[in-house]
Amino acid sequence: MTALSPLVELDPDAVRDPAGVYEQLRERGVHHAPEIDAFVVARHDDVVRVLRDGRTFSSRNTVGRVLPPADPSNPRPPLSPLLLLSDDPEHAQRRSIVNRAFTPSKIAAWEPQIRQVAEEHVDRLGDLGEVDLVRDLAALLPIRVVSLVLGVPLRDVTRFREWSEEITASVGNHGGDPVRREQVQDAFSSYISLLLDQWDGTVDARVLSQIAAAERAGELTRTQCVSFVAELLVAGNITTTHHIASSIALLGSTPGLLDRLRSDPRLVQPFVEESLRLEAPIQGFYRLAMADAEIGGVPIPEGSRVFVLYGSANRDPQVWEDCPHLRLDRPNAAAHLAFGKGAHACIGSSLARLEGRVVVEVLLDRLETLELLAVPADLPYLASFVNHGPVSLPARVRLRGSVPAQEVGS
Ligand code: HEM
């Protein structure tokens, strides 16, 4: 039993609120945790050091294991992330292709359409009475937004979501049903291929148009194009769902917060940053030491696995004054590591931040009241120590101008 055990054993209290575990891990410094056979890195400065040194700390095992090399004789190799698990020089070259579509200014241009999608979904809550704000909102928005930004037609979003869910469950999961995986992958690949074939040659804000142009320029094969789209879906969906859900949980459980944000909308962006800092949707990822190294004075032998905890770095009192508390006046509000750091820092961070801000703004605008029907300590969280977020948020909401059900006809 070590400090990390409650998380590795998925103790529901530790998974929901890992702050106590992280405090012990930071106090202890870098050490080897036998439960995950990895050196645990929990202090902010040490996490940054590892993330900035991609030459020593490879990304090939970011998700915890190294995927087997592609088998050239397999006509349908499993979809595998092109960015997340690659190192330079391939990583830098591939990333430059999609970077063009994810610059802050390109992403900012999507704001009116993202707001429209958020308004549509929030307004629909009014008809539902008691709602689950994960099922009825947080789980629905990200796929709509990713589809929009990719350039997937609205009529196809439902099946796109189904594929996305199945691919998320199966990427790199060689234990899943191989027949089903191949069926989903074939359907998804044919669909993306169709969209690429229909490309009219115009490069615009839609990510698919950038990918299609890269294919035409010989920078990507067709399989790589499909893998790129799958990676964006997998990396962008559950993370953003968890971020929206955690933000709503904070909004509904922090006394006075809704009123404060309503009275000064400039505080919404600092709130988004604080929700990312405190409830990082990805709490940690792995790296692989490619040479003998040292972190925080501790020797790390070549070949060791290293587990870097963004979630713990975000609560390091060396960096964050009054670190357990949500504060809207932090000078270093955006310096959290929820999006990682260095070469692999999240490519979708501008999109996730925009989406997070717009959803909160729409909720502030449309909601008369937000009443969570469970206290934070009773909310069920995803059983994972990597992904972090509530899986259900039962609530009663009342939209502005709507009549509560019991008053109708009275
Ligand atoms: C709140 C939402 C999000 C969070 C918290 C998040 C978090 C992260 C983190 C921590 C990494 C770094 C991985 C590493 O250190 O190895 C990452 C990478 C990545 N993210 Fe996000 N992400 C979010 C949303 C998105 C969105 C919306 C997209 C795209 C539509 C996206 C696409 C990616 C991709 C492709 C990578 C791999 C980048 C690379 O390896 O170069 N993410 N994300």
Side-chain angles (χ1 to χ4, degrees):
M1 178 89 176
T2 70
L4 193 64
S5 302
L7 280 180
V8 176
E9 288 164 12
L10 302 177
D11 172 84
D13 293 329
V15 164
R16 182 183 310 111
D17 180 8
V21 171
Y22 292 163
E23 195 178 338
Q24 293 178 49
L25 296 175
R26 284 192 306 269
E27 261 166 31
R28 174 134 185 228
V30 176
H31 63 280
H32 186 265
E35 302 98 319
I36 54 170
D37 186 21
F39 284 85
V40 179
V41 181
R43 293 180 189 160
H44 181 278
D45 289 0
D46 293 338
V47 171
V48 170
R49 246 217 66 213
V50 172
L51 295 179
R52 285 213 164 120
D53 184 0
R55 189 186 288 257
T56 308
F57 299 106
S58 163
S59 277
R60 69 185 65 180
N61 73 333
T62 289
V63 292
R65 62 190 180 283
V66 180
L67 301 186
D71 171 3
S73 66
N74 182 352
R76 294 139 146 189
L79 294 173
S80 173
L82 288 190
L83 296 181
L84 196 68
L85 303 183
S86 65
D87 292 320
D88 285 344
E90 290 84 9
H91 173 261
Q93 183 251 327
R94 291 166 176 177
R95 183 150 166 148
S96 69
I97 295 171
V98 270
N99 252 343
R100 299 162 202 157
F102 282 97
T103 58
S105 61
K106 286 256 168 53
I107 291 300
W110 289 107
E111 179 163 345
Q113 282 153 283
I114 292 177
R115 189 172 298 278
Q116 203 182 341
V117 171
E119 285 172 350
E120 208 181 285
H121 281 85
V122 170
D123 286 345
R124 220 174 279 160
L125 293 175
D127 303 333
L128 301 176
E130 281 188 10
V131 291
D132 177 342
L133 289 170
V134 174
R135 184 195 59 206
D136 300 326
L137 185 65
L140 303 180
L141 276 175
I143 186 72
R144 279 287 305 272
V145 170
V146 170
S147 302
L148 188 68
V149 171
L150 277 169
V152 172
L154 184 57
R155 64 174 180 275
D156 297 332
V157 166
T158 303
R159 59 184 171 143
F160 203 57
R161 184 169 71 229
E162 284 160 14
W163 287 327
S164 159
E165 282 165 3
E166 294 213 46
I167 290 170
T168 304
S170 77
V171 163
N173 174 11
H174 300 281
D177 175 1
V179 176
R180 182 67 199 149
R181 175 176 64 68
E182 281 187 2
Q183 282 170 346
V184 172
Q185 184 172 324
D186 284 353
F188 179 76
S189 302
S190 310
Y191 177 70
I192 298 300
S193 273
L194 186 73
L195 293 183
L196 290 167
D197 289 340
Q198 288 170 348
W199 177 54
D200 63 4
T202 317
V203 178
D204 53 29
R206 289 168 306 165
V207 177
L208 262 174
S209 75
Q210 310 269 351
I211 291 177
E215 183 188 33
R216 186 161 295 175
E219 295 173 298
L220 289 176
T221 63
R222 179 55 63 98
T223 307
Q224 286 177 320
C225 292
V226 176
S227 292
F228 245 136
V229 177
E231 178 170 13
L232 295 171
L233 279 180
V234 172
N237 267 339
I238 189 167
T239 46
T240 314
T241 290
H242 282 157
H243 176 228
I244 294 172
S246 294
S247 302
I248 297 175
L250 283 169
L251 273 180
S253 63
T254 312
L257 183 58
L258 269 169
D259 290 340
R260 215 169 145 215
L261 295 178
R262 270 198 188 116
S263 66
D264 187 353
R266 286 169 308 175
L267 295 177
V268 173
Q269 191 61 50
F271 167 65
V272 170
E273 301 303 339
E274 276 292 87
S275 61
L276 286 162
R277 180 180 74 82
L278 289 166
E279 304 293 336
I282 296 179
Q283 293 282 308
F285 266 153
Y286 292 84
R287 293 293 191 264
L288 188 65
M290 303 307 285
D292 287 346
E294 167 270 311
I295 316 166
V298 175
I300 310 288
E302 178 181 347
S304 304
R305 285 150 52 91
V306 175
F307 187 51
V308 269
L309 275 164
Y310 317 107
S312 169
N314 286 351
R315 288 170 174 266
D316 189 335
Q318 299 292 330
V319 179
W320 309 96
E321 195 187 315
D322 190 21
C323 61
H325 296 117
L326 188 150
R327 297 240 320 240
L328 301 177
D329 60 348
R330 292 189 186 279
N332 56 350
H336 57 76
L337 299 183
F339 293 118
K341 190 99 195 155
H344 287 270
C346 179
I347 200 167
S349 62
S350 298
L351 180 59
R353 285 185 154 115
L354 172 63
E355 200 171 335
R357 173 173 62 76
V358 167
V359 174
V360 173
E361 286 170 352
V362 170
L363 287 170
L364 294 175
D365 180 49
R366 298 292 221 258
L367 287 193
E368 187 75 53
T369 54
L370 164 62
E371 185 192 348
L372 292 187
L373 300 177
V375 293
D378 287 340
L379 289 175
Y381 271 60
L382 187 73
S384 165
F385 60 94
V386 170
N387 291 108
H388 175 77
V391 290
S392 169
L393 270 180
R396 198 173 294 126
V397 295
R398 189 164 152 206
L399 297 188
R400 286 196 166 153
S402 69
V403 182
Q406 67 270 26
E407 288 175 20
V408 176
S410 64

